Each structure stands twice: as C-alpha cells, then as structure tokens.
Amino acid sequence: MKKYFETTEFPVDTKLQTLLQKRRAPLAAAAMQETLRELTWYLSGPVQFLLAAFPKPDKLDQETIQAADIDRVDIMYASDEERYLPVFTDLAGLKKFKPVLREGEMIYLAGKQDLLDFLHTNDKVAACVVNPDKDDLLLYRMHLQNMIKVGKER
C-alpha cells in the first residue's frame, strides 16, 4: 500500500462510478446480471481503493507499507454481526465518511492484493465494503482472489 499525499494523483474513475451507480439502479434480473458481470470484469483490472489506517509506529515515515504493517483501522460492524473494512473509490467518499483523520492515521492506496492480504491477516474481518452507505459492495476473500486471478489472465 502506498501512502496518499495531497499531491498524489488519484483521479475519479468515472467508468467504475458509472458501473457502481448502474448496480444501484432498479434493473431487471438479466440487466442486473450483465451489470454485475461488467463490474466484476472491470474490477479485475488495475483498480485501486483508498483506506484510512494507522500504520505501526515504526512504519509512520514509510511511503509504502504491507497489510501486516497496519496497527489498527476503523472496522464497521453490520447488522449481520460481521465486521467489514471500509474502502473507497474516491477521496470525496472517504472524506465524507471520515471527515477528520486522527493523529497518526494515514490514507493509503490499496490494490486488490493489499485488501486480500489484510483480510488474510485479520481473519475476524469478513470482507471489504466499497463505499459504505452508498454502494455497499462487499468484496470477500473469494471475490478478491477470483478478480486477481482473472486480472492476471487478462
């Protein structure tokens, strides 16, 4: 994971935003299935996410960290009694969800492998939730593994 700085280029992924918006729309079953197929295919590409996390104290000054270098992170508890890691597709969404970072908390760019590594390191977290309270797209370990595999085959 790479630390996000104000100068870091992270443009809004309009294609991803369009697919997520389409997924939220009321669609017939066949159209929804096609939208999910297209979204999955797109997510198997080089998509990155933003997340806020506290790196371990000895990693505070490093620009890149591994999932195991995360000391703590905000976890969402859902009505299904599961725990989820909130991740975002744009900076505006992260800032709306978390307007102020706490001392020592950083924003990181994370790829699918980073998210999968985090889930493997933190077995009590069920999945990542993309754009919570807006898209609520759940990425479980198996989804991430499959997208990574398809991405390598592309």
Side-chain angles (χ1 to χ4, degrees), residues 68-83:
D69 297 329
I70 293 176
D71 190 35
R72 64 188 194 280
V73 65
D74 289 338
I75 296 294
M76 298 180 68
Y77 293 87
S79 59
D80 63 0
E81 310 272 328
E82 293 289 353
R83 297 175 179 139

Side-chain angles (χ1 to χ4, degrees), residues 70-108:
I70 293 176
D71 190 35
R72 64 188 194 280
V73 65
D74 289 338
I75 296 294
M76 298 180 68
Y77 293 87
S79 59
D80 63 0
E81 310 272 328
E82 293 289 353
R83 297 175 179 139
Y84 299 100
L85 173 68
V87 299
F88 300 86
T89 58
D90 61 52
L91 187 60
L94 186 145
K95 287 188 173 188
K96 182 178 178 188
F97 184 83
K98 188 168 194 63
V100 178
L101 296 177
R102 295 182 302 233
E103 186 177 339
E105 191 173 23
M106 309 284 175
I107 297 174
Y108 290 96

Side-chain angles (χ1 to χ4, degrees), residues 30-72:
M32 180 57 80
Q33 189 172 13
E34 177 58 25
T35 298
L36 292 175
R37 186 197 63 73
E38 191 177 353
L39 178 59
T40 301
W41 176 254
Y42 190 80
L43 286 172
S44 71
V47 175
Q48 289 199 310
F49 302 93
L50 294 164
L51 67 96
F54 293 90
K56 290 183 178 176
D58 62 329
K59 304 293 182 180
L60 276 172
D61 295 330
Q62 294 188 3
E63 287 193 31
T64 59
I65 63 169
Q66 303 300 314
D69 297 329
I70 293 176
D71 190 35
R72 64 188 194 280

